[in-house]
Amino acid sequence: ILERNENYHLGPVGLEKIHMNLAGGSSMAMYENDEIDITGVSLFDLERIRDPTDSLHDDLIVANPSYSISYIGFNVKEPPFDDLKFRQALNHAVDKELIAKEVMADLVVPAYGILPPGFPGFRGVEGLKYDPVLAKKLLSESKYADPAMRPRIVVTIPGSGGTPNLDLEVIINMWYENLGVEVEIQQVEWATYLQDLDRQRFQAFGGLGWEADYPDPQDFLDILFHSDSDNNHGAYSNSQVDGILESARVETDQTDRFELYNKVENLIVEDAPWLPLWFAGERHILLKSYVKGYE
């Protein structure tokens, strides 16, 4: 419960309090039962709510994209992800354009770099595009080309027995169809997931995203990929990347800083410690008509 501060320097705000429901259950059902005043709209509900004849259509609001990215992370110290060409092969084997269109209803933007479009310092990174022929070649050149020499591969996601995101299932199917690489999905309860993530215990991990805290490339590239960062969950380490990131921290010329970040983003993407997935597209929410002034 958030209660208003009567001593706020611009005067009391218009609401006495806000109740935030942190319990489980379907937020959409709670919204339809008038138990809550605002909810996000899932991909599965969006099509029906876009229909002008639907009872919830008039409550639908489209918000601007957030500066965020979702991804699958690889632990570069854990076989088979300790092999650069194996990680690159997995990247080249995924047709993100197809998934975005056919699975995600064009509500997301395929990600090939780290910095979201429109973000300060964004230059657009070519990235590791879909190329199944190149993917097969890279796999054949990796030390895990022989399936018999390849360890069991598990992608761990947060959850407790629910259905994994459909895009993850499609990605795993593409890895199998294009490379013959078999991958299992393991679900772990949230608290345990976060604890083990911080301890770099996972071989590969999904169900994650990162959203900007402040408008600077450091908030993505340094925080997520410097060797000493607590948020570097895949144990990624590149001394050249670290050196450029440390130089960018103290560079006072903004143009030169952005040049450094562009260089380091390309190096990181080429090293493939992630399979970048999606930048957020437009966001859809439902808001009760009696709620005024919400932005």
Side-chain angles (χ1 to χ4, degrees):
I1 298 174
L2 309 178
E3 295 183 348
R4 74 180 174 195
N5 176 10
E6 302 295 345
N7 299 316
Y8 181 54
H9 72 288
L10 295 180
V13 296
L15 294 176
E16 283 188 19
K17 62 180 66 175
I18 297 172
H19 290 256
M20 301 181 72
N21 190 326
L22 306 181
S26 167
S27 63
M28 182 61 68
M30 295 172 71
Y31 185 89
E32 295 188 76
N33 291 331
D34 295 324
E35 298 171 36
I36 56 177
D37 305 308
I38 181 172
T39 181
V41 181
S42 74
L43 184 65
F44 302 103
D45 294 303
L46 185 58
E47 186 173 352
R48 74 173 173 92
I49 295 172
R50 277 175 164 167
D51 184 341
T53 64
D54 189 88
S55 60
L56 297 177
H57 177 76
D58 290 343
D59 291 354
L60 184 64
I61 293 176
V62 180
N64 291 330
S66 61
Y67 286 132
S68 64
I69 184 173
S70 58
Y71 61 92
I72 296 173
F74 306 138
N75 189 327
V76 301
K77 291 187 177 179
E78 292 286 331
F81 300 105
D82 58 337
D83 186 282
L84 171 62
K85 291 189 175 182
F86 186 83
R87 300 194 304 268
Q88 291 174 333
L90 293 185
N91 270 264
H92 285 298
V94 176
D95 188 346
K96 297 176 195 174
E97 307 294 332
L98 177 68
I99 298 173
K101 180 177 176 57
E102 301 296 335
V103 178
M104 310 296 280
D106 282 329
L107 295 175
V108 296
V109 178
Y112 297 99
I114 310 299
L115 298 181
F119 195 72
F122 175 80
R123 298 287 174 83
V125 172
E126 179 68 21
L128 307 180
K129 296 289 181 70
Y130 178 59
D131 188 336
V133 175
L134 178 57
K136 289 183 177 72
K137 179 176 182 292
L138 288 164
L139 179 62
S140 71
E141 294 171 354
S142 79
K143 62 183 179 183
Y144 300 105
D146 181 357
M149 302 297 293
R150 198 179 302 150
R152 173 174 173 250
I153 302 175
V154 177
V155 176
T156 305
I157 61 173
S160 52
T163 303
N165 288 344
L166 185 56
D167 60 334
L168 178 58
E169 294 185 327
V170 173
I171 288 165
I172 287 176
N173 190 55
M174 286 180 173
W175 283 339
Y176 181 72
E177 288 187 351
N178 289 323
L179 298 173
V181 172
E182 296 189 47
V183 176
E184 302 171 35
I185 299 175
Q186 170 184 268
Q187 289 187 317
V188 174
E189 187 272 329
W190 252 114
T192 304
Y193 179 85
L194 293 174
Q195 189 177 64
D196 287 347
L197 190 68
D198 286 340
R199 294 173 179 173
Q200 299 179 341
R201 287 184 172 177
F202 297 137
Q203 186 186 32
F205 43 93
L208 281 182
W210 185 262
E211 187 166 359
D213 300 295
Y214 43 88
D216 191 275
Q218 187 268 350
D219 189 42
F220 282 83
L221 301 173
D222 201 331
I223 284 182
L224 298 173
F225 296 102
H226 191 282
S227 297
D228 295 333
S229 173
D230 290 340
N231 289 295
N232 181 352
H233 301 304
Y236 172 70
S237 182
N238 180 321
S239 58
Q240 185 183 5
V241 166
D242 288 347
I244 298 172
L245 289 172
E246 289 160 16
S247 296
R249 291 174 187 172
V250 296
E251 175 56 62
T252 56
D253 183 278
Q254 190 75 300
T255 301
D256 290 344
R257 285 187 74 243
F258 287 171
E259 286 293 338
L260 289 171
Y261 282 124
N262 181 244
K263 181 178 180 180
V264 87
E265 184 178 12
N266 278 281
L267 289 171
I268 291 167
V269 168
E270 190 65 25
D271 280 344
W274 280 10
L275 169 62
L277 294 179
W278 321 114
F279 298 121
E282 293 175 333
R283 292 171 292 167
H284 297 77
I285 67 165
L286 292 173
L287 185 71
K288 297 294 185 182
S289 60
Y290 50 76
V291 178
K292 305 300 181 185
Y294 178 86
E295 295 186 11

